[in-house]
Amino acid sequence: MKWNEFSEWGRKVADWAQDYHLTVGDRPVRAQTEPGEVLNALPVAPPEAPETMDKIFQDFEEIVMPGITHWQHPRFFAYFAANASPPSVLAEFLTSALAPQCMLWQTSPAATEMETRMMDWLRQSLDLPDGFAGVIQDSASSATLAAVLTMREKALDWQGNQQGLFAQKPLRIYCSSEVHTSVDRAIWVAGIGQQNLIRIPIKGDWRGMDPVALETAIKADLAAGLQPAGVILCVGGTGTGATDPIADCLDVAEKYDLYSHVDAAWAGSAMICPEYRHYWPGIERADSIVFNPHKWLGVQFDCSAHFLKAPDDLVRTLAIQPEYLKTHGKDGIINYSEWSVPLGRRFRALKIWFVLRTYGLEGLRNRLRDHINWSNSLHDRLAATADFEIVTPPMWSLWSFRYAPNGVADLDDLNLRLVNAINDDGRIYLTQTRVDGDLVIRFQAGQFETTKDDVMMAHEVITEIAKGLS
Ligand code: PLP
């Protein structure tokens, strides 16, 4: 294909995209294909001869589309939403057209300087204090890994990267049982070892870390000659929205001089609304915070906002400067690749700029407030429905329930069958989690095109399908 043929297809793709988004609600939310179906429809060998875009596009519709789960569907209530708002898609289209690799300031100054400004816009949107600097990571997992590596290096007086961990005291990192598994992976990758990730018991409705138990664990480790290195807290955990008492836990972290990282991957977006900030009092004292605009702010995947109180610690941990990556003769520049594990970087700030300007903070706040209110209405309705029990209460727009008719011995099996049957039906999409060992079904609302009717329709689907289960 030549560039002078591009716009014809660019227009067709734009029309297709608009039509797709306007009608996606008519499709089953979760892909209904069986394992191997798409794979088997694809030729086993690459083509020797060129093919036309007409044919490629036809195959895209016939082979690829049936195997797509529609994350932009208005009745996507599974996991967390991953919104691709129209301005975000346009920005990504421009980014793909420019295709810059933004590892250094000089490899696209606009990308770097826009990232600095956009991260500061996001900082202000969450009402974090002035002292935080920000970087866009590809995922919350990467931000957490970067934070764990920083914890490790600080605790080892910056010797870990050079000397490895063999001659060191075991490092200990503390979190609750509710944190995302990206924390476990970060611990593995950092060489700290799963056995040194200490799960602190939780308490209360928010299923948050018990700060007294945190201090007890730290003291026991110190007495045993181990080295506490950091605390990882969560605000809006994946399973049930678990939220640690940030201020109380940071009191302990500060007392023992431990680096703190807060994973607010999902719920961080809600902090653009002042009325939800009571969920993280003391957040301004954290060393590192991550949240994903690619979940609930309409800035499409991938875009993780990582805020740092002392970016120099992160840069000291990750920066590596061979001659070819140096920029001579320019003062005061930032090379964001020194703030993250990958060297290469996409131009992600453009879509933040497009989204924040298109909706304004008030437009975004209204969407989130609607999701939370509608989700609460559905919660109230299901709570009043015979044979259903609420397991965890709404945290923002997330709560969990069980179908528990009298006389059923294996409720885990029943609820697994229920969630599978709901997803096979295709009108809505839900996923399961475990709460205190029991299998429960999660509900969250957060898709930008969702309406109150979409949310309330979930009641009809859930109860209708539950009744049909034997
Ligand atoms: N932390 C929490 C609380 C999450 O819910 C998720 C994903 O849903 C993650 C971390 C991982 O996010 P990412 O896919 O950006 O690595």
Side-chain angles (χ1 to χ4, degrees):
M1 187 185 232
K2 304 240 175 13
W3 276 107
N4 60 12
E5 298 165 272
F6 182 82
S7 67
E8 182 197 338
W9 275 99
R11 281 192 195 95
K12 281 187 191 166
V13 168
D15 288 346
W16 184 94
Q18 177 163 316
D19 188 52
Y20 168 72
H21 281 271
L22 291 177
T23 59
V24 63
D26 301 336
R27 300 179 188 242
V29 193
R30 195 210 57 197
Q32 302 290 317
T33 49
E34 290 300 323
E37 229 175 286
V38 176
L39 181 66
N40 292 332
L42 295 167
V44 289
E48 290 292 343
E51 298 186 60
T52 63
M53 191 49 72
D54 273 316
K55 177 67 182 125
I56 297 169
F57 206 78
Q58 185 187 339
D59 286 349
F60 163 73
E61 298 225 59
E62 288 173 8
I63 299 174
V64 179
M65 283 309 291
I68 292 293
T69 291
H70 301 287
W71 287 70
Q72 308 312 317
H73 195 294
R75 291 186 300 281
F76 182 101
F77 303 128
Y79 310 101
F80 288 126
N83 282 291
S85 62
S88 157
V89 176
L90 289 176
E92 280 290 65
F93 191 2
L94 291 173
T95 303
S96 317
L98 298 171
Q101 206 278 48
C102 308
M103 58 186 175
L104 306 172
W105 174 84
Q106 65 164 304
T107 63
S108 275
T112 297
E113 293 180 18
M114 187 168 264
E115 183 158 341
T116 305
R117 184 64 76 213
M118 287 308 104
M119 285 303 299
D120 201 58
W121 281 16
L122 289 176
R123 176 194 66 74
Q124 294 173 54
S125 310
L126 270 52
D127 199 31
L128 293 174
D130 214 354
F132 279 98
V135 54
I136 306 176
Q137 306 277 8
D138 57 5
S139 62
S141 303
S142 292
T144 297
L145 175 59
V148 167
L149 292 169
T150 308
M151 281 175 196
R152 186 190 79 181
E153 286 309 292
K154 278 198 81 157
L156 297 179
D157 199 19
W158 313 100
Q159 294 307 304
N161 279 343
Q162 295 308 317
Q163 297 177 7
L165 304 186
F166 296 107
Q168 309 289 352
K169 287 193 217 173
L171 299 179
R172 306 287 264 188
I173 290 182
Y174 308 87
C175 66
S176 84
S177 51
E178 300 289 308
V179 293
H180 189 261
T181 46
S182 52
V183 173
D184 300 67
R185 271 210 217 141
I187 297 293
W188 302 347
V189 175
I192 290 169
Q194 183 82 51
Q195 65 184 2
N196 293 313
L197 179 63
I198 308 306
R199 306 281 179 184
I200 305 300
I202 56 170
K203 61 172 200 178
D205 281 353
W206 292 5
R207 301 179 66 78
M209 183 189 286
D210 176 355
V212 175
L214 171 64
E215 180 158 19
T216 306
I218 294 170
K219 279 183 177 163
D221 283 348
L222 286 169
L226 306 170
Q227 185 164 358
V231 178
I232 299 178
L233 302 172
C234 69
V235 173
T238 316
T240 63
T243 295
D244 294 324
I246 298 296
D248 295 345
C249 293
L250 289 180
D251 283 347
V252 180
E254 285 166 3
K255 183 169 169 189
Y256 294 90
D257 196 21
L258 301 185
Y259 193 88
S260 55
H261 172 66
V262 178
D263 177 2
W266 164 62
S269 294
M271 301 310 184
I272 63 170
C273 305
E275 68 269 29
Y276 298 121
R277 294 186 192 139
H278 68 278
Y279 279 111
W280 67 2
I283 190 68
E284 67 285 351
R285 288 156 49 204
D287 292 308
S288 161
I289 306 162
V290 65
F291 94 100
N292 282 350
H294 70 224
K295 283 184 160 61
W296 210 0
L297 275 198
V299 181
Q300 77 182 77
F301 191 80
D302 53 359
C303 183
S304 279
H306 187 189
F307 298 102
L308 297 140
K309 177 101 42 70
D312 289 354
D313 287 340
L314 177 67
V315 172
R316 190 165 175 194
T317 301
L318 294 179
I320 186 154
Q321 295 172 331
E323 184 56 39
Y324 88 101
L325 293 179
K326 288 186 179 153
T327 303
H328 295 286
K330 302 279 180 202
D331 294 331
I333 58 166
I334 297 178
N335 293 321
Y336 277 118
S337 55
E338 296 174 357
W339 298 43
S340 55
V341 175
L343 173 64
R345 320 188 79 244
R346 302 182 62 241
F347 182 11
R348 300 190 181 90
L350 192 69
K351 56 192 171 185
I352 303 178
W353 197 50
F354 272 44
V355 168
L356 290 180
R357 295 183 65 187
T358 303
Y359 296 108
L361 285 174
E362 205 45 31
L364 294 170
R365 286 187 196 111
N366 290 338
R367 276 183 164 69
L368 270 62
R369 285 174 179 142
D370 281 347
H371 296 151
I372 294 169
N373 289 337
W374 298 337
S375 174
N376 274 266
S377 301
L378 177 69
H379 162 273
D380 294 349
R381 186 141 179 230
L382 203 69
T385 304
D387 296 338
F388 283 88
E389 60 186 35
I390 301 299
V391 180
T392 55
M395 293 293 282
W396 299 275
S397 67
L398 169 66
W399 45 276
S400 66
F401 67 93
R402 297 240 276 187
Y403 179 43
N406 277 337
V408 176
D410 191 347
L411 286 179
D412 282 5
D413 173 69
L414 181 68
N415 280 275
L416 193 53
R417 285 193 292 124
L418 174 58
V419 76
N420 285 339
I422 287 170
N423 296 334
D424 289 345
D425 170 85
R427 280 174 288 171
I428 65 173
Y429 186 19
L430 300 175
T431 39
Q432 75 285 349
T433 188
R434 287 205 180 258
V435 175
D436 302 330
D438 292 337
L439 190 130
V440 305
I441 303 177
R442 297 164 77 254
F443 180 90
Q444 70 75 33
Q447 216 291 321
F448 269 29
E449 298 303 318
T450 296
T451 63
K452 183 166 189 189
D453 286 349
D454 288 316
V455 171
M456 297 318 282
M457 185 178 156
H459 185 269
E460 179 188 319
V461 175
I462 294 166
T463 51
E464 175 195 311
I465 294 181
K467 279 195 199 103
L469 290 178
S470 50

